[in-house]
Amino acid sequence: MRFIIIPIFFISILLFFSVHISPANWDYTGLLSLLIPVFVLLNLFLLALLLFGRIKLIIFPIMALLIGWKFFLVTFQWNVPDTETEGFSLLSYNVMLFNNNWESGREDRILNSIQWAKENPSDIKCFQEFYQDFTTPSRNALKIIGNDGEYEHSFLTVDGNPRKRSYGMAIFSRFPIINSGKVFDNRKNNGAMFADLIIRQDTIRIYNTHLESMNIRAADLDNLQGIKNQYRGTIRKLKQGIQMRATQTEILKEHIKNSPHPVILAGDFNDLPYSYTYFSLREILENGFEQMGRGFGFTYNRVLFFLRIDNIFFNQVLKVLQFNTHREVDYSDHYPISAVFAFPE
């Protein structure tokens, strides 16, 4: 038994520390971290098994679980929201181009998704994969969501014709936007932008980000045959995406560290909570789900439903009062997430 338990212990420790090694330096760390949930469950199983057997060996799964306790915190939470304190709200939503990339005949979903984005009451709205069409009034998302001037906006065009049809990222705000800019983009579908807002005599910098996509079609992994046919390409795409996100994360962190204002970072990170991306940002920022989330907080709305890849991070200068995953909103392949913040007294 010890020849199984001890190797599992050391492999677990290796995996648990792999999230602190950048895949840009050693690309396999990103793939190794995907095994963390498996080994957490394996240590739980060994712990239960050894309670009725060789009690001396139980120290190994106990130590592994204590060292890996942070992975429980990023996986599941059951917090009680603060509804007594008044604050300002922020929405983050990958809108999947408002369904404009879907098959024809889905005009209702296009219009309904734009309408939902308009009617959501959040004070600040961050959209990824934002589609803008100046040629069609019913799809002019900047005008519709801006609600005739109720929201100021900043739009980062990633691709397309910025005067006709384009897509990218957008930040809408009920508060004045005094500055905005680009952190990076890769001219495909991903990028990061920021906007500085005046909120009750304070200035807050809002980052909206969409890190490198995995470029893996969930439909290809929907059955055993699909997995067999696609596994080599899937591993290659995972590896490339992990490396690119590590590089983008370093650019983003450096920009955040140089921010003259408190920061909220929202978006689609395309990485699990067991990744270098997540823990690297967690070194300098708090996470809204960890502080005020409930349940598992899964944000992906497709076959791989157990993924939480959308996040809202923030400086300790701020206090998060509420955090919600809007699983009732299914227009996109991502669920919207939102949080309410306040300035500590």
Side-chain angles (χ1 to χ4, degrees):
M1 193 71 171
R2 71 175 64 240
F3 297 108
I4 298 175
I5 294 172
I6 294 176
I8 288 176
F9 170 77
F10 284 108
I11 293 172
S12 299
I13 302 307
L14 174 65
L15 294 176
F16 294 165
F17 282 99
S18 69
V19 297
H20 301 293
I21 302 173
S22 173
N25 297 326
W26 192 48
D27 49 11
Y28 288 101
T29 58
L31 294 174
L32 288 174
S33 64
L34 299 177
L35 296 173
I36 287 174
V38 175
F39 275 78
V40 168
L41 292 174
L42 189 55
N43 278 285
L44 283 171
F45 172 75
L46 290 176
L47 176 62
L49 187 65
L50 292 171
L51 284 173
F52 304 97
R54 302 183 182 181
I55 201 70
K56 289 183 179 180
L57 293 175
I58 203 171
I59 188 64
F60 291 102
I62 289 176
M63 288 177 59
L65 292 171
L66 288 175
I67 294 171
W69 181 250
K70 59 189 175 184
F71 299 110
F72 288 94
L73 301 179
V74 303
T75 301
F76 185 86
Q77 288 287 344
W78 200 258
N79 297 291
V80 178
D82 184 346
T83 58
E84 301 298 326
T85 308
E86 182 179 354
F88 62 92
S89 53
L90 180 143
L91 171 78
S92 179
Y93 189 14
N94 182 324
V95 294
M96 199 179 68
L97 306 181
F98 291 115
N99 294 280
N100 278 280
N101 58 340
W102 283 35
E103 65 270 22
S104 60
R106 302 307 297 266
E107 183 71 16
D108 58 330
R109 292 193 66 89
I110 296 172
L111 300 182
N112 288 341
S113 60
I114 295 175
Q115 191 66 23
W116 187 91
K118 173 190 175 182
E119 293 177 355
N120 180 274
S122 298
D123 299 313
I124 305 162
K125 302 177 182 181
C126 298
F127 297 106
Q128 306 87 45
E129 294 191 24
F130 186 91
Y131 183 82
Q132 171 58 22
D133 185 351
F134 286 106
T135 68
T136 308
S138 63
R139 300 189 187 189
N140 188 336
L142 289 177
K143 178 175 175 58
I144 294 170
I145 299 173
N147 201 18
D148 295 322
E150 180 180 347
Y151 289 85
E152 294 188 24
H153 71 263
S154 179
F155 179 46
L156 170 64
T157 298
V158 175
D159 201 6
N161 187 329
R163 296 184 179 181
K164 293 184 178 180
R165 299 182 184 89
S166 60
Y167 62 83
M169 312 178 68
I171 298 174
F172 290 79
S173 171
R174 281 199 176 101
F175 307 108
I177 299 176
I178 60 172
N179 182 33
S180 63
K182 176 179 70 174
V183 181
F184 68 84
D185 71 64
N186 66 2
R187 305 305 303 169
K188 286 176 63 180
N189 193 30
N190 310 105
M193 64 182 299
F194 72 91
D196 295 337
L197 316 180
I198 299 294
I199 303 178
R200 305 185 186 103
Q201 288 77 53
D202 292 294
T203 303
I204 299 293
R205 174 162 289 184
I206 306 297
Y207 284 93
N208 183 17
T209 188
H210 184 198
L211 298 188
E212 182 71 16
S213 300
M214 296 182 185
N215 295 315
I216 299 170
R217 296 196 314 161
D220 291 338
L221 308 179
D222 196 18
N223 55 69
L224 184 59
Q225 188 59 45
I227 294 172
K228 288 180 179 179
N229 294 338
Q230 301 292 331
Y231 81 95
R232 290 185 183 275
T234 298
I235 294 298
R236 176 177 53 80
K237 290 177 180 179
L238 280 173
K239 186 176 172 183
Q240 292 173 348
I242 287 168
Q243 288 178 304
M244 181 65 76
R245 287 191 293 276
T247 301
Q248 293 171 344
T249 298
E250 292 306 319
I251 296 171
L252 191 56
K253 279 182 65 177
E254 187 65 25
H255 203 282
I256 290 171
K257 288 178 180 178
N258 291 321
S259 171
H261 312 297
V263 163
I264 297 176
L265 167 63
D268 173 7
F269 294 82
N270 274 310
D271 244 331
L272 299 174
Y274 323 108
S275 64
Y276 173 79
T277 296
Y278 189 93
F279 277 91
S280 182
L281 293 170
R282 198 171 177 263
E283 289 175 358
I284 61 171
L285 299 170
E286 302 292 328
N287 183 269
F289 169 80
E290 291 184 52
Q291 296 286 324
M292 276 294 161
R294 290 171 70 86
F296 291 99
F298 300 141
T299 64
Y300 192 58
N301 182 25
R302 284 297 180 267
V303 174
L304 304 176
F305 66 90
F306 48 84
L307 304 181
R308 181 167 73 84
I309 55 179
D310 302 83
N311 286 284
I312 299 174
F313 292 91
F314 61 98
N315 279 135
Q316 286 184 328
V317 174
L318 299 167
K319 178 183 179 182
V320 63
L321 307 175
Q322 300 176 35
F323 183 93
N324 291 289
T325 303
H326 301 271
R327 294 182 61 84
E328 73 280 3
V329 183
D330 64 350
Y331 298 117
S332 169
D333 57 355
H334 291 250
Y335 295 114
I337 57 175
S338 64
V340 178
F341 293 94
F343 294 96
E345 296 180 1

